[in-house]
Amino acid sequence: MITVYYADAPKDAYEKYVDRLSPSRREKASSFKFLNDQNMSVTAGLLIDEYLKTMGLREKDMEYEGVKPRFKDLSLFFNISHSKGKVMVAFSDKEIGSDIEVIEKEDLKVAKRFFCEEEYEVIKEDPSYFFRFWTLKESYIKFTGEGLRLPLNSFKIQFKDDKPYMDGVFLKELDLFSGYRASICAEKEDEITLKKVAIF
């Protein structure tokens, strides 16, 4: 099963909640230069904590490991994404990637430079596909663990009946927040549970 927790990041999240989190998450949040990013990072930690509570665990007690963070001695995979005050964390028992982006002005120059030619042609016809491709491709490179080391034009995403697909993985677009695009990438199709968390 895939579970996605998502939330609005409070503007005082860093100030109010950072001390509730693990040393690793506090260090990660503090590494951001801007307060908005710190708030979103702390909110991600709180979402992880909320999910771990369902397992009888707490984030503050957990030990992270690996370049692509996961918890030592726990069969849980998760992936964090945030954009302009919105935060999502996708959880699974297998590798998972996620991405959320606020919908802004589409950039055809970016699409032509970084996307596949076929994807670029789709976006030229309908610019609304720009952020659909963007979040789907970001979720895939995060799924692989390669990040931006994997060029965005080195793999192709297609749409069939307006649903994304790509050989070898499961792609799914999520409707989490108005004015945002969100996607996940997993090894195979699975049941998805969405939970919006209120953080005060």
Side-chain angles (χ1 to χ4, degrees), residues 67-68 141 144-152 154-155:
V67 176
K68 185 179 180 182
I141 64 175
T144 66
E146 290 294 316
L148 291 176
R149 294 186 299 273
L150 182 65
L152 293 176
S154 67
F155 59 94

Side-chain angles (χ1 to χ4, degrees), residues 74-133:
L74 183 63
S75 296
L76 175 68
F77 294 84
F78 64 91
N79 194 252
I80 297 168
S81 184
H82 44 73
S83 175
K84 297 293 179 72
K86 311 297 184 184
V87 184
M88 66 180 289
V89 185
F91 303 91
S92 177
D93 60 350
K94 297 180 177 62
E95 286 288 357
I96 188 83
S98 67
D99 190 56
I100 185 169
E101 301 289 342
V102 65
I103 299 173
E104 298 180 315
K105 178 67 176 176
E106 301 87 357
D107 193 328
L108 288 177
K109 291 181 179 178
V110 168
K112 185 173 185 178
R113 180 179 177 185
F114 292 106
F115 294 173
C116 298
E117 183 176 350
E118 295 92 332
E119 295 166 342
Y120 172 64
E121 291 299 324
V122 171
I123 294 168
K124 275 205 311 183
E125 290 294 320
D126 185 348
S128 70
Y129 276 87
F130 177 83
F131 283 101
R132 299 181 72 179
F133 278 118

Side-chain angles (χ1 to χ4, degrees), residues 56-70:
L57 302 170
R58 299 302 301 267
E59 194 278 338
K60 63 183 178 63
D61 300 322
M62 304 301 290
E63 183 178 347
Y64 291 78
E65 65 177 3
V67 176
K68 185 179 180 182
R70 57 171 301 179

